[in-house]
């Protein structure tokens, strides 16, 4: 089935839809040797080139489509389009012709869970649903929060235009004057949580994201390390986003006259042997 070129290349992780449109306007993309046009549709057999080089649009395996990355505070994330910040990409699986897209990347000074995917449709769908996702932050502050501060924080009111949906605030211990708290929000952004804490007179020393939707960052995942989502985690994320993972392969019926597998043929001959022996003895 033919689909729009922007959608096909974004789903394959080649680039975002906006980037594809820019390539088309610049005359860099071609389909079957002819310059591509906005809204052009691609079929399974159509050949796409970028600056004369073939574009691979084969779907990646589901196990390596999405990775969790433990980002260190102050470390630049970098993107596939940034040649000046290749440090992150050097740690990620190489996907020829594809780019890794961060889902709601953290501010540079914060750390914790970064979710990156090479599936453009998944990234776009998750970003659209970001306001409804449960997002969890681990926050270290100076001193213990008093009841007045907790009440104001639970209200989530940053200013006249911004209000966070705070579902819960739980104490997570600490040492000395530093205390850790776990903030569970609905669609909360790190920048807004910074502003909320500041408005409530809380001295913040560290903010880490530890949960994004159904994905949680492992306690034993060291900084600057990553891991691929398990098939179960990936399936849950795709179902939440409402897009197809393409992980299930369609079994084709055997061709007429095709040779049976060796194991099955052996089993058939074993089952038929007793009948033939009985007839011979009779």
């Amino acid at each position: 089935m033919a689909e729009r070129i922007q959608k096909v290349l974004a789903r394959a992780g080649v680039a975002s839809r906006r980037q594809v449109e820019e390539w088309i306007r610049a005359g860099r993309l071609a389909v079957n040797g002819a310059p591509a046009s906005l809204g052009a549709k691609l079929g399974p057999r159509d050949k796409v080139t970028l600056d004369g080089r073939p574009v691979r649009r084969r779907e990646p395996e589901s196990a390596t489509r999405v990775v969790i990355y433990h980002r260190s505070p102050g470390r630049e994330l970098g993107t596939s389009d940034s040649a000046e910040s290749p440090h992150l990409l050097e740690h990620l699986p190489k996907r020829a012709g594809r780019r890794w897209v961060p889902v709601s990347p953290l501010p540079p000074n914060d750390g914790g869970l970064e979710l990156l995917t090479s599936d453009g449709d998944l990234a776009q769908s998750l970003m659209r649903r970001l306001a409804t996702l449960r997002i969890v932050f681990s926050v270290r502050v100076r001193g213990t929060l008093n009841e007045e501060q907790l009440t104001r924080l639970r209200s989530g009111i940053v200013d006249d235009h911004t209000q966070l949906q705070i579902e819960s605030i739980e104490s997570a211990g600490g040492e000395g004057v530093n205390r850790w708290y776990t903030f569970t929000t609905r669609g909360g952004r790190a920048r807004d949580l910074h502003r909320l804490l500041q408005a409530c007179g809380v001295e913040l020393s560290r903010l880490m994201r530890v949960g994004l939707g159904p994905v949680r960052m492992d306690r034993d995942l060291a900084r600057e390390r990553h891991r691929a989502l398990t098939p179960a985690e990936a399936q849950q994320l795709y179902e939440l986003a409402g897009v197809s993972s393409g992980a299930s392969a369609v079994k084709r019926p055997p061709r007429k006259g095709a040779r049976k597998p060796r194991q099955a043929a052996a089993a058939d001959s074993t089952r038929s042997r007793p009948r033939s022996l009985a007839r011979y003895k009779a």
Side-chain angles (χ1 to χ4, degrees):
M1 182 177 67
E3 293 181 296
R4 294 181 62 186
I5 186 171
Q6 296 96 316
K7 182 177 180 179
V8 173
L9 297 187
R11 184 173 61 239
V14 176
S16 66
R17 298 190 187 192
R18 182 177 298 177
Q19 181 66 62
V20 173
E21 291 175 357
E22 291 178 0
W23 288 343
I24 293 174
R25 293 190 182 97
R28 299 176 60 188
L29 273 180
V31 179
N32 300 325
S37 59
L38 290 173
K41 293 189 176 182
L42 290 181
R45 298 181 180 276
D46 289 326
K47 297 181 179 179
V48 184
T49 57
L50 174 64
D51 297 332
R53 297 181 179 181
V55 175
R56 297 182 182 180
R57 50 192 176 102
R58 183 176 56 189
E59 293 288 336
E61 295 297 327
S62 60
T64 55
R65 260 186 211 174
V66 190
V67 297
I68 299 172
Y69 180 78
H70 186 170
R71 178 179 177 178
S72 296
R75 191 71 178 258
E76 288 292 336
L77 184 63
T79 66
S80 297
D81 294 333
S82 175
E84 299 176 356
S85 304
H87 46 265
L88 169 62
L89 300 179
E90 289 177 353
H91 298 298
L92 295 181
K94 297 296 186 288
R95 310 299 302 177
R98 300 182 182 91
R99 64 198 292 269
W100 287 99
V101 181
V103 177
S104 184
L106 291 163
N109 292 331
D110 294 326
L113 168 64
E114 290 284 9
L115 191 67
L116 298 106
T117 176
S118 60
D119 188 329
D121 275 358
L122 176 64
Q124 189 175 40
S125 181
L126 287 174
M127 290 299 291
R128 286 199 302 264
R129 291 167 166 78
L130 196 61
T132 65
L133 297 182
R134 179 174 283 108
I135 302 177
V136 184
F137 296 95
S138 185
V139 174
R140 189 179 71 183
V141 302
R142 187 174 180 84
T144 304
L145 299 178
N146 57 44
E147 286 302 321
E148 181 181 356
Q149 289 174 321
L150 287 171
T151 300
R152 290 189 60 189
L153 287 169
R154 291 190 182 103
S155 72
I157 299 175
V158 179
D159 51 37
D160 294 338
H161 307 287
T162 306
Q163 181 174 4
L164 287 177
Q165 296 184 48
I166 306 293
E167 293 190 346
S168 66
I169 302 174
E170 299 178 1
S171 176
E175 297 179 356
V177 296
N178 293 315
R179 289 290 180 271
W180 285 93
Y181 291 87
T182 301
F183 283 68
T184 301
T185 73
R186 184 66 65 174
R189 298 190 306 174
R191 288 186 176 88
D192 292 333
L193 187 53
H194 272 278
R195 294 169 56 202
L196 176 63
L197 291 164
Q198 184 178 8
C200 295
V202 178
E203 187 177 344
L204 174 67
S205 59
R206 182 173 297 178
L207 187 145
M208 295 181 61
R209 183 168 61 192
V210 296
L212 180 59
V215 179
R216 294 292 183 270
M217 189 172 70
D218 310 3
R219 289 182 176 273
D220 57 351
L221 185 63
R223 291 183 181 180
E224 303 303 317
R225 299 294 180 182
H226 74 275
R227 74 166 179 86
L229 293 190
T230 65
E233 289 173 327
Q235 185 64 28
Q236 190 176 10
L237 193 65
Y238 272 94
E239 289 177 357
L240 176 69
V243 297
S244 173
S245 65
S248 57
V250 177
K251 295 184 178 180
R252 297 180 179 179
R255 290 176 300 175
K256 193 172 182 180
R259 183 180 297 177
K260 292 183 179 180
R262 185 173 300 173
Q263 185 176 1
D268 288 346
S269 62
T270 303
R271 286 193 296 267
S272 62
R273 190 176 299 126
R275 291 195 297 271
S276 61
L277 288 176
R279 186 172 65 248
Y280 179 76
K281 289 180 179 179

